Every structure is written in structure tokens, then in C-alpha cells.
Amino acid sequence: IAGITQAPTSQILAAGRRMTLRCTQDMRHNAMYWYRQDLGLGLRLIHYSNTAGTTGKGEVPDGYSVSRANTDDFPLTLASAVPSQTSVYFCASSDQTDTQYFGPGTRLTVL
Amino acid sequence: LAKTTQPISMDSYEGQEVNITCSHNNIATNDYITWYQQFPSQGPRFIIQGYKTKVTNEVASLFIPADRKSSTLSLPRVSLSDTAVYYCLVVPQRAAAGNKLTFGGGTRVLVKP
């Protein structure tokens, strides 16, 4: 069982480019999340999804969009990347106990 | 949503017990206290959750007094590999996902030889 996988592991991106971070889970969890973590700081919630077909905004949603076409996948898209979006991005899913399981992260640098 | 306050950092030595206290004065009746651990370059990992009194698992113990306004994570006999950031969260029971879960800055624990 892989749990949660994220791709790519890391990426350097030119400002203004579009980028999709991929997240897949095989635990059949209904809820999924995207967080960003800036150097030395805690995690901030970007978007979440309670179940397939629904999404919601977290603490810092601006500049990001998500979709949840099925239970397993929850991609995060940056339509036009800016340097302030340089961060480490973590995807997570949660079971019925609300315990969150995190992926390994994607390190994104926007130049 | 209850705000949590925990120390920014703590140093310890191998073999010692580490206790991290988290304050959550505004905790609601249906809230649980949850702790996550994050190693460098990894995502956070759930370690323990409790509602009241004491909870123990193979990783840690969680002590919650009767008023539930604080909680203490106890790591017994730490080793160098316990160096990590530890986050205290207050989680509503059966919360709607996402915007009710807040990770603060956490406590950076450094275990020295």
C-alpha cells in the first residue's frame, strides 16, 4: 500500500507558467487536503475536499485551484505561478477519525 | 476554533523524557487534542490523540487534565531520531474537512547526544 503519493518531488518553474501538482491516495479516504509550508513555518491549508465532487477554500486559496473528479486524485493547479508561491506543498487525506495522512511533499521554486 | 499555544523550541539529551505542553484555553466540548510529528523534509505524521485523562501508545503519552485547557505530550527516553517538530492541534469531533484544522508553528525538539 503506497498511501499518498505526490508528483513531482521537486520543480523549478518560471513565473507566469501554469503548473499542476499531483496527489493520489489508495486508502479510499473521502477527505483530502492541500497545504503549503514555508521555510521554518507551520502548514497552511490551501484547499480541501470532503468527498469526490466537492471542494472548499482553506486559509490561503488565492492563486490556486483544485478539482476532485474521483476519490483517489486531488490535483492542485497554479494557473500563473508567482515567486511568493515558492514553498513545499503537502497533500493529505483523512479517514473517519479525522486523522490526516500526509504525502512526501513537492518542493516548488518559482523564479 | 480553539487556538493552541506551545513552546517554539526545546532541547533535550538522548535517554531523557521530553514533555511538551500545549495550551488550548478555548477548547470546546466536542474537541479532541491531536499531536503530529514532522521530520525534516517529510510530511507530518499523526502520533497520538486524546479527549481527556491519559492516552498512551508505542510512541508517546498524552496527558489531559480535567479542565482540558492544556495537554502535555510526553516522549519517553528520546533518541536522536526524535528530533522533529511537534504540532498540537485541537480537532472538532467529526469535523467537516479542511478549514477547521489549523497547524500552528509547532515545537521544534532537538535531541542532543
Side-chain angles (χ1 to χ4, degrees):
Chain A
I1 296 177
I4 293 188
T5 58
Q6 293 185 234
T9 302
S10 65
Q11 182 75 45
I12 299 174
L13 190 66
R17 297 296 296 269
R18 180 184 179 90
M19 176 73 190
T20 295
L21 308 185
R22 299 185 298 279
C23 175
T24 299
Q25 54 109 353
D26 62 3
M27 297 176 284
R28 307 303 294 172
H29 289 168
N30 282 327
M32 297 187 73
Y33 316 77
W34 274 106
Y35 295 87
R36 62 175 288 174
Q37 185 172 36
D38 299 317
L39 190 62
L41 300 179
L43 287 80
R44 292 186 292 170
L45 183 68
I46 304 170
H47 284 288
Y48 65 94
S49 169
N50 285 337
T51 188
T54 69
T55 63
K57 295 181 179 180
E59 181 185 355
V60 288
D62 294 343
Y64 305 95
S65 63
V66 292
S67 61
R68 188 85 185 278
N70 57 62
T71 297
D72 298 344
D73 301 300
F74 191 42
L76 176 74
T77 297
L78 290 67
S80 179
V82 295
S84 62
Q85 291 177 311
T86 293
S87 189
V88 180
Y89 291 84
F90 290 104
C91 179
S93 68
S94 65
D95 59 18
Q96 64 272 22
T97 68
D98 296 324
T99 299
Q100 295 198 7
Y101 299 86
F102 286 79
T106 293
R107 187 174 299 273
L108 181 67
T109 302
V110 182
L111 302 176
Chain B
L1 184 65
K3 176 181 166 59
T4 60
T5 303
Q6 53 183 122
I8 293 174
S9 64
M10 299 179 70
D11 289 356
S12 183
Y13 291 91
E14 283 189 292
Q16 289 188 337
E17 179 180 80
V18 172
N19 295 305
I20 309 171
T21 297
C22 178
S23 298
H24 27 78
N25 291 320
N26 297 323
I27 191 167
T29 302
N30 291 333
D31 289 344
Y32 284 75
I33 298 130
T34 306
W35 287 80
Y36 284 77
Q37 174 190 56
Q38 185 178 24
F39 296 116
S41 301
Q42 294 186 27
R45 179 177 75 111
F46 168 87
I47 50 175
I48 200 165
Q49 182 181 65
Y51 184 79
K52 61 180 179 181
T53 63
K54 177 183 175 182
V55 179
T56 297
N57 61 23
E58 66 278 6
V59 177
S61 294
L62 179 60
F63 299 91
I64 305 168
D67 67 5
R68 303 197 333 118
K69 293 184 182 299
S70 68
S71 59
T72 299
L73 177 73
S74 180
L75 307 172
R77 299 179 298 280
V78 293
S79 63
L80 297 177
S81 62
D82 291 315
T83 292
V85 178
Y86 293 83
Y87 296 96
C88 169
L89 285 78
V90 172
V91 181
Q93 184 181 26
R94 296 293 184 267
N99 60 354
K100 295 196 182 235
L101 303 174
T102 302
F103 283 79
T107 297
R108 191 171 301 273
V109 172
L110 174 63
V111 180
K112 302 176 182 178

